[in-house]
Structures are given as structure tokens and as C-alpha cells.
Amino acid sequence: MRNERHDEPLTDNEMELFLQYLHRYAIHDLDQWLALQVGPEKFPVYVTLSRALEPGVDPSFYRRP
């Protein structure tokens, strides 16, 4: 099922579900990395999920929701 409500922000409940699904994906499905391009074609957002930090990045830079 696709949600086509791209012109609306996530509700608090949707954001909570998103974070739960992301956490579950990271535990069960993410192998080494995943690279995605999402959002509008004119202003894309590049998302990288990885099991490794980029060299020189301090782990404290990342927050845990």
C-alpha cells in the first residue's frame, strides 16, 4: 500500500511508526549499506544507511531517537 500524501508532514503517530520501522529494518534487513534518493526530483534528498561510520566522524554526532 502506497501513501500518496507527499504534500503533508508526518503526524506524531506516523513519525513514531517511521522510527519503529527504521529501527526494525536496521536490525533485521540492513546488510552493509543502503543508498536511496527520495523526495521531489527537483530537490532530492540523499539517504545513506550504513553499519559503518565514515572515517573521522565522531559517533556522538548521531542522536538516538
Side-chain angles (χ1 to χ4, degrees), residues 12-62:
D12 290 343
N13 289 340
E14 289 170 328
M15 181 57 101
E16 179 63 29
L17 279 173
F18 170 74
L19 293 172
Q20 287 177 24
Y21 289 140
L22 181 61
H23 184 78
R24 200 165 101 198
Y25 179 83
I27 291 171
H28 298 287
D29 296 299
L30 183 64
D31 185 17
Q32 293 181 10
W33 55 271
L34 172 69
L36 299 171
Q37 180 180 331
V38 297
E41 287 187 32
K42 189 171 180 179
F43 302 105
V45 174
Y46 299 94
V47 179
T48 303
L49 301 177
S50 174
R51 294 204 172 272
L53 283 173
E54 291 291 321
V57 175
D58 184 347
S60 66
F61 175 76
Y62 294 90

